[in-house]
Amino acid sequence: MAFRTNSLLVSIIVLANVLLSGCVTYQISKYVEGDVVNVPNEELEVGKTTLEEALSILGAPDKVAKVGVENLLLYERELLYRNRIKVGIPLSEIIRGNLSASAYGTLVRYDSLALFFNTEDILSHKTFAEGSSYPYLRTLFSAQQ
């Protein structure tokens, strides 16, 4: 048992020595695309609000689509968070080159407001999703499990 502990300790010391002579970086990125998605509940009433009123309140949508006979206005914001670590080890004394490795994790979240208007341009229904893993159109048109 003592032999394993000593070999583990020696391995850790050698690895630390190699890594400490290199460069370790950690990066955090945050990226936002789109405007804040606000839901003015008191101003957007199902069965009463017209398409023109919705456009004057919210402005131009990010996407427009036709779903069956209804028109869809989609307001969406994408938030991306990325953590990345990179390790570089100079090996120029041993071989002519450097060794580097990196790893990263990404988390993307979507805030979406979808407004559906019937053929008379009256708001038929609306949905709001905050912090969703997928954009609204992908969830809307995906095959149901």
Side-chain angles (χ1 to χ4, degrees):
M1 188 69 164
F3 179 74
R4 285 186 182 176
T5 305
N6 289 337
S7 65
L8 179 62
L9 181 60
V10 170
S11 299
I12 291 173
I13 290 172
V14 169
L15 182 64
N17 191 17
V18 169
L19 288 177
L20 291 176
S21 66
C23 178
V24 177
T25 59
Y26 184 70
Q27 177 185 19
I28 300 173
S29 301
K30 181 180 177 184
Y31 176 74
V32 178
E33 183 176 319
D35 295 327
V36 175
V37 178
N38 292 322
V39 186
N41 287 327
E42 62 279 349
E43 297 175 15
L44 296 176
E45 293 184 43
V46 174
K48 291 185 179 181
T49 304
T50 65
L51 177 63
E52 292 81 18
E53 291 171 341
L55 288 172
S56 69
I57 294 168
L58 297 171
D62 296 310
K63 295 178 184 143
V64 177
K66 188 140 183 102
V67 180
V69 295
E70 293 187 318
N71 292 314
L72 166 66
L73 301 183
L74 184 62
Y75 298 87
E76 197 160 53
R77 179 173 73 156
E78 177 182 350
L79 299 114
L80 176 128
Y81 301 97
R82 176 175 287 158
N83 295 319
R84 181 178 181 177
I85 188 165
K86 186 174 184 179
V87 178
I89 304 169
L91 299 174
S92 57
E93 295 174 6
I94 303 168
I95 59 173
R96 298 204 183 260
N98 295 321
L99 176 67
S100 67
S102 65
Y104 66 91
T106 303
L107 177 65
V108 181
R109 294 289 180 232
Y110 297 90
D111 295 339
S112 304
L113 172 63
L115 303 175
F116 293 86
F117 291 90
N118 60 22
T119 55
E120 291 84 31
D121 289 339
I122 303 295
L123 182 64
S124 60
H125 59 282
K126 61 183 176 180
T127 61
F128 177 68
E130 186 175 19
S132 173
S133 299
Y134 300 104
Y136 187 76
L137 288 178
R138 181 173 171 191
T139 59
L140 184 65
F141 295 116
S142 65
Q144 296 295 323
Q145 299 286 329

mmCIF file with all atom_site columns, all heavy atoms in Angstrom, residues 119-130:
data_model
loop_
_atom_site.group_PDB
_atom_site.id
_atom_site.type_symbol
_atom_site.label_atom_id
_atom_site.label_alt_id
_atom_site.label_comp_id
_atom_site.label_asym_id
_atom_site.label_entity_id
_atom_site.label_seq_id
_atom_site.pdbx_PDB_ins_code
_atom_site.Cartn_x
_atom_site.Cartn_y
_atom_site.Cartn_z
_atom_site.occupancy
_atom_site.B_iso_or_equiv
_atom_site.pdbx_formal_charge
_atom_site.auth_seq_id
_atom_site.auth_comp_id
_atom_site.auth_asym_id
_atom_site.auth_atom_id
_atom_site.pdbx_PDB_model_num
ATOM 1  N N   . THR A 1 119 ? -57.326 34.635 -38.718 1.00 0.00 ? 119 THR A N   1
ATOM 2  C CA  . THR A 1 119 ? -57.469 35.223 -40.055 1.00 0.00 ? 119 THR A CA  1
ATOM 3  C C   . THR A 1 119 ? -58.035 36.645 -40.030 1.00 0.00 ? 119 THR A C   1
ATOM 4  O O   . THR A 1 119 ? -57.861 37.392 -40.979 1.00 0.00 ? 119 THR A O   1
ATOM 5  C CB  . THR A 1 119 ? -58.379 34.334 -40.934 1.00 0.00 ? 119 THR A CB  1
ATOM 6  O OG1 . THR A 1 119 ? -59.623 34.132 -40.255 1.00 0.00 ? 119 THR A OG1 1
ATOM 7  C CG2 . THR A 1 119 ? -57.716 33.004 -41.218 1.00 0.00 ? 119 THR A CG2 1
ATOM 8  N N   . GLU A 1 120 ? -58.697 37.032 -38.915 1.00 0.00 ? 120 GLU A N   1
ATOM 9  C CA  . GLU A 1 120 ? -59.206 38.399 -38.767 1.00 0.00 ? 120 GLU A CA  1
ATOM 10 C C   . GLU A 1 120 ? -58.177 39.312 -38.086 1.00 0.00 ? 120 GLU A C   1
ATOM 11 O O   . GLU A 1 120 ? -58.514 40.427 -37.678 1.00 0.00 ? 120 GLU A O   1
ATOM 12 C CB  . GLU A 1 120 ? -60.511 38.415 -37.957 1.00 0.00 ? 120 GLU A CB  1
ATOM 13 C CG  . GLU A 1 120 ? -61.700 37.804 -38.680 1.00 0.00 ? 120 GLU A CG  1
ATOM 14 C CD  . GLU A 1 120 ? -61.736 36.284 -38.534 1.00 0.00 ? 120 GLU A CD  1
ATOM 15 O OE1 . GLU A 1 120 ? -61.274 35.764 -37.490 1.00 0.00 ? 120 GLU A OE1 1
ATOM 16 O OE2 . GLU A 1 120 ? -62.196 35.617 -39.474 1.00 0.00 ? 120 GLU A OE2 1
ATOM 17 N N   . ASP A 1 121 ? -56.939 38.844 -37.900 1.00 0.00 ? 121 ASP A N   1
ATOM 18 C CA  . ASP A 1 121 ? -55.847 39.579 -37.241 1.00 0.00 ? 121 ASP A CA  1
ATOM 19 C C   . ASP A 1 121 ? -56.168 39.939 -35.792 1.00 0.00 ? 121 ASP A C   1
ATOM 20 O O   . ASP A 1 121 ? -55.789 41.004 -35.294 1.00 0.00 ? 121 ASP A O   1
ATOM 21 C CB  . ASP A 1 121 ? -55.469 40.845 -38.034 1.00 0.00 ? 121 ASP A CB  1
ATOM 22 C CG  . ASP A 1 121 ? -54.747 40.521 -39.331 1.00 0.00 ? 121 ASP A CG  1
ATOM 23 O OD1 . ASP A 1 121 ? -54.197 39.399 -39.443 1.00 0.00 ? 121 ASP A OD1 1
ATOM 24 O OD2 . ASP A 1 121 ? -54.724 41.374 -40.238 1.00 0.00 ? 121 ASP A OD2 1
ATOM 25 N N   . ILE A 1 122 ? -56.859 39.044 -35.108 1.00 0.00 ? 122 ILE A N   1
ATOM 26 C CA  . ILE A 1 122 ? -57.138 39.177 -33.679 1.00 0.00 ? 122 ILE A CA  1
ATOM 27 C C   . ILE A 1 122 ? -56.290 38.139 -32.946 1.00 0.00 ? 122 ILE A C   1
ATOM 28 O O   . ILE A 1 122 ? -56.162 36.995 -33.385 1.00 0.00 ? 122 ILE A O   1
ATOM 29 C CB  . ILE A 1 122 ? -58.638 38.940 -33.372 1.00 0.00 ? 122 ILE A CB  1
ATOM 30 C CG1 . ILE A 1 122 ? -59.516 39.912 -34.168 1.00 0.00 ? 122 ILE A CG1 1
ATOM 31 C CG2 . ILE A 1 122 ? -58.922 39.050 -31.882 1.00 0.00 ? 122 ILE A CG2 1
ATOM 32 C CD1 . ILE A 1 122 ? -59.338 41.372 -33.789 1.00 0.00 ? 122 ILE A CD1 1
ATOM 33 N N   . LEU A 1 123 ? -55.713 38.537 -31.806 1.00 0.00 ? 123 LEU A N   1
ATOM 34 C CA  . LEU A 1 123 ? -54.864 37.642 -31.007 1.00 0.00 ? 123 LEU A CA  1
ATOM 35 C C   . LEU A 1 123 ? -55.690 36.455 -30.530 1.00 0.00 ? 123 LEU A C   1
ATOM 36 O O   . LEU A 1 123 ? -56.647 36.614 -29.775 1.00 0.00 ? 123 LEU A O   1
ATOM 37 C CB  . LEU A 1 123 ? -54.271 38.403 -29.815 1.00 0.00 ? 123 LEU A CB  1
ATOM 38 C CG  . LEU A 1 123 ? -53.331 37.640 -28.900 1.00 0.00 ? 123 LEU A CG  1
ATOM 39 C CD1 . LEU A 1 123 ? -52.061 37.214 -29.649 1.00 0.00 ? 123 LEU A CD1 1
ATOM 40 C CD2 . LEU A 1 123 ? -52.956 38.488 -27.689 1.00 0.00 ? 123 LEU A CD2 1
ATOM 41 N N   . SER A 1 124 ? -55.321 35.249 -30.993 1.00 0.00 ? 124 SER A N   1
ATOM 42 C CA  . SER A 1 124 ? -56.070 34.049 -30.601 1.00 0.00 ? 124 SER A CA  1
ATOM 43 C C   . SER A 1 124 ? -55.456 33.372 -29.376 1.00 0.00 ? 124 SER A C   1
ATOM 44 O O   . SER A 1 124 ? -56.175 32.870 -28.533 1.00 0.00 ? 124 SER A O   1
ATOM 45 C CB  . SER A 1 124 ? -56.162 33.057 -31.761 1.00 0.00 ? 124 SER A CB  1
ATOM 46 O OG  . SER A 1 124 ? -54.876 32.663 -32.175 1.00 0.00 ? 124 SER A OG  1
ATOM 47 N N   . HIS A 1 125 ? -54.141 33.346 -29.268 1.00 0.00 ? 125 HIS A N   1
ATOM 48 C CA  . HIS A 1 125 ? -53.477 32.885 -28.046 1.00 0.00 ? 125 HIS A CA  1
ATOM 49 C C   . HIS A 1 125 ? -52.022 33.313 -28.051 1.00 0.00 ? 125 HIS A C   1
ATOM 50 O O   . HIS A 1 125 ? -51.477 33.711 -29.077 1.00 0.00 ? 125 HIS A O   1
ATOM 51 C CB  . HIS A 1 125 ? -53.627 31.376 -27.818 1.00 0.00 ? 125 HIS A CB  1
ATOM 52 C CG  . HIS A 1 125 ? -53.082 30.511 -28.897 1.00 0.00 ? 125 HIS A CG  1
ATOM 53 N ND1 . HIS A 1 125 ? -53.721 30.281 -30.085 1.00 0.00 ? 125 HIS A ND1 1
ATOM 54 C CD2 . HIS A 1 125 ? -51.926 29.813 -28.972 1.00 0.00 ? 125 HIS A CD2 1
ATOM 55 C CE1 . HIS A 1 125 ? -53.009 29.480 -30.840 1.00 0.00 ? 125 HIS A CE1 1
ATOM 56 N NE2 . HIS A 1 125 ? -51.901 29.177 -30.197 1.00 0.00 ? 125 HIS A NE2 1
ATOM 57 N N   . LYS A 1 126 ? -51.433 33.276 -26.852 1.00 0.00 ? 126 LYS A N   1
ATOM 58 C CA  . LYS A 1 126 ? -50.041 33.698 -26.684 1.00 0.00 ? 126 LYS A CA  1
ATOM 59 C C   . LYS A 1 126 ? -49.357 32.756 -25.706 1.00 0.00 ? 126 LYS A C   1
ATOM 60 O O   . LYS A 1 126 ? -50.002 32.161 -24.842 1.00 0.00 ? 126 LYS A O   1
ATOM 61 C CB  . LYS A 1 126 ? -49.963 35.141 -26.186 1.00 0.00 ? 126 LYS A CB  1
ATOM 62 C CG  . LYS A 1 126 ? -50.625 35.362 -24.834 1.00 0.00 ? 126 LYS A CG  1
ATOM 63 C CD  . LYS A 1 126 ? -50.586 36.814 -24.429 1.00 0.00 ? 126 LYS A CD  1
ATOM 64 C CE  . LYS A 1 126 ? -51.354 37.002 -23.118 1.00 0.00 ? 126 LYS A CE  1
ATOM 65 N NZ  . LYS A 1 126 ? -51.343 38.372 -22.673 1.00 0.00 ? 126 LYS A NZ  1
ATOM 66 N N   . THR A 1 127 ? -48.066 32.601 -25.886 1.00 0.00 ? 127 THR A N   1
ATOM 67 C CA  . THR A 1 127 ? -47.272 31.782 -24.963 1.00 0.00 ? 127 THR A CA  1
ATOM 68 C C   . THR A 1 127 ? -45.985 32.520 -24.655 1.00 0.00 ? 127 THR A C   1
ATOM 69 O O   . THR A 1 127 ? -45.454 33.262 -25.496 1.00 0.00 ? 127 THR A O   1
ATOM 70 C CB  . THR A 1 127 ? -46.928 30.401 -25.552 1.00 0.00 ? 127 THR A CB  1
ATOM 71 O OG1 . THR A 1 127 ? -46.150 30.583 -26.732 1.00 0.00 ? 127 THR A OG1 1
ATOM 72 C CG2 . THR A 1 127 ? -48.156 29.598 -25.863 1.00 0.00 ? 127 THR A CG2 1
ATOM 73 N N   . PHE A 1 128 ? -45.477 32.305 -23.449 1.00 0.00 ? 128 PHE A N   1
ATOM 74 C CA  . PHE A 1 128 ? -44.202 32.878 -23.032 1.00 0.00 ? 128 PHE A CA  1
ATOM 75 C C   . PHE A 1 128 ? -43.392 31.790 -22.354 1.00 0.00 ? 128 PHE A C   1
ATOM 76 O O   . PHE A 1 128 ? -43.899 31.091 -21.482 1.00 0.00 ? 128 PHE A O   1
ATOM 77 C CB  . PHE A 1 128 ? -44.421 34.061 -22.078 1.00 0.00 ? 128 PHE A CB  1
ATOM 78 C CG  . PHE A 1 128 ? -43.134 34.637 -21.559 1.00 0.00 ? 128 PHE A CG  1
ATOM 79 C CD1 . PHE A 1 128 ? -42.276 35.304 -22.415 1.00 0.00 ? 128 PHE A CD1 1
ATOM 80 C CD2 . PHE A 1 128 ? -42.780 34.503 -20.233 1.00 0.00 ? 128 PHE A CD2 1
ATOM 81 C CE1 . PHE A 1 128 ? -41.081 35.847 -21.944 1.00 0.00 ? 128 PHE A CE1 1
ATOM 82 C CE2 . PHE A 1 128 ? -41.598 35.028 -19.748 1.00 0.00 ? 128 PHE A CE2 1
ATOM 83 C CZ  . PHE A 1 128 ? -40.743 35.702 -20.607 1.00 0.00 ? 128 PHE A CZ  1
ATOM 84 N N   . ALA A 1 129 ? -42.159 31.634 -22.784 1.00 0.00 ? 129 ALA A N   1
ATOM 85 C CA  . ALA A 1 129 ? -41.249 30.663 -22.167 1.00 0.00 ? 129 ALA A CA  1
ATOM 86 C C   . ALA A 1 129 ? -39.967 31.390 -21.791 1.00 0.00 ? 129 ALA A C   1
ATOM 87 O O   . ALA A 1 129 ? -39.357 32.061 -22.629 1.00 0.00 ? 129 ALA A O   1
ATOM 88 C CB  . ALA A 1 129 ? -40.940 29.525 -23.134 1.00 0.00 ? 129 ALA A CB  1
ATOM 89 N N   . GLU A 1 130 ? -39.569 31.256 -20.547 1.00 0.00 ? 130 GLU A N   1
ATOM 90 C CA  . GLU A 1 130 ? -38.351 31.902 -20.067 1.00 0.00 ? 130 GLU A CA  1
ATOM 91 C C   . GLU A 1 130 ? -37.343 30.831 -19.677 1.00 0.00 ? 130 GLU A C   1
ATOM 92 O O   . GLU A 1 130 ? -37.664 29.900 -18.950 1.00 0.00 ? 130 GLU A O   1
ATOM 93 C CB  . GLU A 1 130 ? -38.660 32.786 -18.863 1.00 0.00 ? 130 GLU A CB  1
ATOM 94 C CG  . GLU A 1 130 ? -37.481 33.594 -18.394 1.00 0.00 ? 130 GLU A CG  1
ATOM 95 C CD  . GLU A 1 130 ? -37.857 34.560 -17.282 1.00 0.00 ? 130 GLU A CD  1
ATOM 96 O OE1 . GLU A 1 130 ? -38.907 34.364 -16.634 1.00 0.00 ? 130 GLU A OE1 1
ATOM 97 O OE2 . GLU A 1 130 ? -37.098 35.505 -17.066 1.00 0.00 ? 130 GLU A OE2 1
#
